[in-house]
Amino acid sequence: MMKFHAITIFPGMFDSYFGESLFRRAAQKGIVSLRTYDLRDFTKERHRKVDDRPFGGGPGMVLQVAPIHAAVHSIEQGIARGAKKRRVRTILFSPRGKKFDAAMARRLSRYDDLILICGRYEGVDERVAEHIADEEVSIGDYVLSGGELPALVLMEAVSRFLPGFLGKEESLEEKNGSFPTYSRPETFYPAAARAGSRPKKKGWAVPKVLLSGDHQKIAEWRRRHGAGA
Ligand code: SAM
């Protein structure tokens, strides 16, 4: 089983996504699990503060190294208490990290436990990247408000490489790459749909080959129009 451990100041953000659809099914089947850790539970500060001003000045606050260190240490100890030796990788989300892609997702799917550190505010004390995380990961060249969405993106992309995570339908794309798909009607008349009238203008038709029943031609069309997985 792949165990995800997400360290965040907003644990509730994970509940709805992980509690639905593929994740819920995979969790029920024992393929994945997610445990969230509220970073504020790992501070000794009496107001449960986990951020402070940056040295050198500048706007915003920075997540401190001490609570993150305590959280990761506690998770690692919990993992080490288990009967079997497990492969553990600690990831820090950062817009300056290595760009996430399918190859990285496949590589990370070979670990048993992924510890995911979600930054917030102006970011995370750099000593987390230097001494605690095994790698820094970016999900794209843009800046988000926190690492929670990147963590969900990573969890889903990694999980798709775990045996049994995908149902039969979804795994087709995994095998053949991503390609355009269409469903009924064969021709859609947008103006008529709006007016509730009979179609006058040309509609939006499905490519003929997909209606041909010729599986070889369909596979060839999908190859030509698709992107590799
Ligand atoms: N100036 C900060 C920096 O350079 O890291 C930006 C911090 S950002 C507002 C807050 C947090 O969101 C980051 O610490 C990181 O965990 C997460 N984050 C934002 N954009 C991201 C991206 N593209 N990929 C991964 N994580 C991201």
Side-chain angles (χ1 to χ4, degrees):
M1 179 199 284
M2 161 66 79
K3 292 188 179 172
F4 296 111
H5 309 262
I7 302 171
T8 168
I9 57 169
F10 295 115
M13 284 188 176
F14 290 85
D15 295 343
S16 67
Y17 198 79
F18 204 86
E20 302 279 349
S21 186
L22 285 172
F23 270 132
R24 192 179 61 171
R25 202 173 63 195
Q28 283 165 350
K29 286 201 270 178
I31 296 166
V32 291
S33 76
L34 166 66
R35 186 154 167 209
T36 51
Y37 303 80
D38 188 337
L39 187 59
R40 295 185 195 284
D41 293 341
F42 296 90
T43 178
K44 293 193 171 77
E45 210 276 333
R46 70 192 165 97
H47 299 296
R48 288 167 55 82
K49 216 164 92 71
V50 290
D51 59 328
D52 210 332
R53 286 186 303 241
F55 283 126
M61 303 294 269
V62 174
L63 286 184
Q64 292 170 282
V65 62
I68 293 178
H69 177 259
V72 172
H73 184 63
S74 155
I75 296 166
E76 285 172 345
Q77 278 188 322
I79 294 169
R81 273 198 293 274
K84 274 200 204 138
K85 177 139 180 50
R86 296 176 65 86
R87 299 189 64 205
V88 185
R89 194 84 173 156
T90 300
I91 290 163
L92 170 66
F93 292 103
S94 161
R96 282 171 284 116
K98 184 158 188 275
K99 195 81 65 66
F100 187 63
D101 62 10
M104 195 192 286
R106 188 191 293 273
R107 172 173 63 78
L108 292 175
S109 73
R110 297 188 189 118
Y111 288 89
D112 300 307
D113 292 83
L114 294 179
I115 302 175
L116 309 173
I117 305 170
C118 305
R120 274 273 152 184
Y121 310 130
E122 275 309 303
V124 176
D125 187 311
E126 189 61 16
R127 285 168 289 189
V128 173
E130 290 167 353
H131 302 288
I132 298 175
D134 296 308
E135 54 191 295
E136 280 184 278
V137 172
S138 162
I139 63 157
D141 290 334
Y142 40 78
V143 178
L144 300 166
S145 306
E148 289 74 14
L149 283 174
L152 282 167
V153 167
L154 180 143
M155 284 196 292
E156 177 154 341
V158 166
S159 298
R160 289 173 72 89
F161 286 105
L162 300 175
F165 182 82
L166 294 173
K168 250 193 260 145
E169 283 165 32
E170 298 100 349
S171 54
L172 184 69
E173 189 168 316
E174 227 61 14
K175 259 195 265 137
N176 301 344
S178 166
F179 49 79
T181 51
Y182 299 82
S183 184
R184 278 189 286 185
E186 288 178 19
T187 306
F188 176 67
Y189 298 92
R194 271 196 303 273
S197 60
R198 288 172 66 85
K200 287 187 195 94
K201 287 201 182 135
K202 232 176 122 204
W204 303 343
V206 171
K208 285 217 168 50
V209 60
L210 299 181
L211 311 172
S212 68
D214 185 330
H215 295 296
Q216 219 174 320
K217 278 192 182 150
I218 292 172
E220 168 54 24
W221 184 92
R222 285 180 170 163
R223 253 193 307 279
R224 264 190 294 118
H225 290 81

